[in-house]
Amino acid sequence: MEPDFDRIIDKSGTYALKEYKYRKSECLPMWVADMDFACPPEVLEAVRQRAEHPILGYTVAKELDEIIAERMAEFYGWQIDPDWIVYTAGVVSGLNCSCRAAENRSRAAVNTPIYPPFLSVPPFQGMNLEKSRLTLNASRWEIDFDNLRQTLSGGDSLFIFCNPHNPSGRCFKRSELERIAQICLETGALLCSDEIHCDLLLGESGHTPIASIGREIEQNSITLMSPSKTFNIAGMMTGFAVIPNRKIRQRFAYAKENLSSHPNVFGIKAAKAAYQHGESWRKALLEYLTQNRNLVTERLSKYGIVPAEPEATYLYWLDCTKTGLENPHAHFERYGVGLSDGKDFDAPGWVRLNFASPRSILNLALERIEKALNNQSL
Ligand SMILES: Cc1ncc(COP(=O)(O)O)c(C=O)c1O
């Protein structure tokens, strides 16, 4: 059966985080990064089947090893040894473990604007945070390579990279990844690449894991991935790291043991079903999301708040700094749309729209956003 992404699903009683924030208002929740779509039926069935077994104790995720290794080879041409995989309770916990694994490094650098935990995790793990801003060139977000090199120089940095990038939706090209890898190797920075959005590619975009581009960078990297965003199973708390270098992997695994960051018993089954049986669902999803993205572009471009279209993710990064609005986030909420506030991403005056909703809901949200931009009476 074809997935029905137009279906509006009532989440009441599920304590969904996205809705919970606006439970006392009429605001449409278009903020936190999960989708309003039912996950693939095979995933739901796998979870149901697991629940039939009466024991739900600690579980190892070994049954995913070969599936992940095969996926890396098939999707990205990256040959990995299953022994390189370390499972985590999601990717943010992998970010924490990466900081811990970056022993003797006192600094962590990130490209801002950025998904908020990139700003908070390094200081939480006792590291100094350094920022290298992305620049906007001809409607494309780009790395300022000179600035990045300067930021990482000194040999005691961890570079936490995000590709595809949240919130800009940028999907970096191989030539850009090669330059980043080169900079990390030259400066002695350890690379942690969060690639959680790697399978959410819009239009013609393609993904290359940065660690896959050469042996040297592979040995100097931690790659964080998860099926959670793509298959809408973020509540399953299941992610993994691919760490080719044995010493880095041991340090990461040690951190993970101490942070008790193990994947969830249902998450393992959900991930397995998603990777093994979710491909036609994913393809249909990407078509739907690409159309949603195009709709947002079409409706909002005329307001001058669309500096660049996302190439991946279901997140649209909107520049409201020239609208004259003092607090765009609060303004849109007054008009009934709950977006993510750019100030949490180190970009006050910007907002992030999650467009992974049934088209009728997205249309309603866009109507409200347009009303808000026109300052029409409420
Ligand atoms: C770049 C990035 N990393 C990590 C996460 C969260 O990962 P998890 O829920 O697996 O901790 C998100 C969620 O939006 C994200 O966008």
Side-chain angles (χ1 to χ4, degrees), residues 42-52 236 266-267 269-270:
E42 294 86 352
V43 170
L44 296 173
E45 184 50 31
V47 172
R48 261 184 231 112
Q49 272 183 25
R50 182 61 186 84
E52 288 297 317
M236 289 287 182
F266 294 110
K269 294 294 177 189

Side-chain angles (χ1 to χ4, degrees), residues 85-292:
I85 302 169
V86 183
Y87 295 94
T88 58
V91 167
V92 171
S93 89
L95 289 174
N96 278 278
C97 295
S98 300
C99 289
R100 289 286 171 152
E103 229 171 29
N104 302 328
R105 290 164 201 269
S106 57
R107 303 181 295 140
V110 300
N111 293 127
T112 53
I114 193 70
Y115 171 61
F118 279 52
L119 301 169
S120 56
V121 167
F124 178 63
Q125 294 296 351
M127 300 177 96
N128 290 323
L129 180 73
E130 298 191 338
K131 301 171 192 173
S132 178
R133 272 203 107 67
L134 292 181
T135 53
L136 194 58
N137 294 322
S139 296
R140 168 168 279 188
W141 288 100
E142 288 181 348
I143 306 262
D144 178 341
F145 293 106
D146 291 337
N147 182 271
L148 183 65
R149 180 177 281 105
Q150 232 172 22
T151 309
L152 296 180
S153 65
D156 62 343
S157 267
L158 168 71
F159 176 41
I160 313 182
F161 182 47
C162 188
N163 183 38
H165 182 262
N166 174 5
S168 72
R170 190 61 225 289
C171 190
F172 294 99
K173 289 186 298 204
R174 190 179 178 92
S175 56
E176 295 169 293
L177 301 177
E178 282 168 355
R179 286 185 76 178
I180 294 166
Q182 194 55 38
I183 290 171
C184 287
L185 294 173
E186 277 168 20
T187 58
L190 175 64
L191 173 67
C192 167
S193 186
D194 176 340
E195 304 188 6
I196 193 171
H197 295 283
C198 62
D199 295 326
L200 283 169
L201 306 170
L202 307 174
E204 301 304 308
S205 305
H207 177 76
T208 305
I210 186 167
S212 72
I213 64 179
R215 283 277 170 247
E216 246 189 306
I217 193 65
E218 192 180 75
Q219 282 298 318
N220 186 50
S221 67
I222 299 170
T223 302
L224 303 175
M225 288 183 176
S226 165
S228 62
K229 297 288 149 188
T230 312
F231 298 99
N232 209 22
I233 52 174
M236 289 287 182
M237 304 313 295
T238 300
F240 59 93
V242 182
I243 313 174
N245 180 282
R246 190 173 53 82
K247 280 200 177 130
I248 302 171
R249 190 167 64 245
Q250 280 172 347
R251 294 202 300 261
F252 185 101
Y254 181 70
K256 173 199 136 145
E257 288 305 318
N258 285 288
L259 291 166
S260 190
S261 164
H262 294 273
N264 175 287
V265 63
F266 294 110
I268 296 164
K269 294 294 177 189
K272 184 176 177 188
Y275 281 160
Q276 284 190 318
H277 307 293
E279 192 47 18
S280 63
W281 184 94
R282 186 183 77 97
K283 285 199 172 120
L285 170 76
L286 296 186
E287 270 180 38
Y288 196 88
L289 289 178
T290 302
Q291 286 172 22
N292 274 8

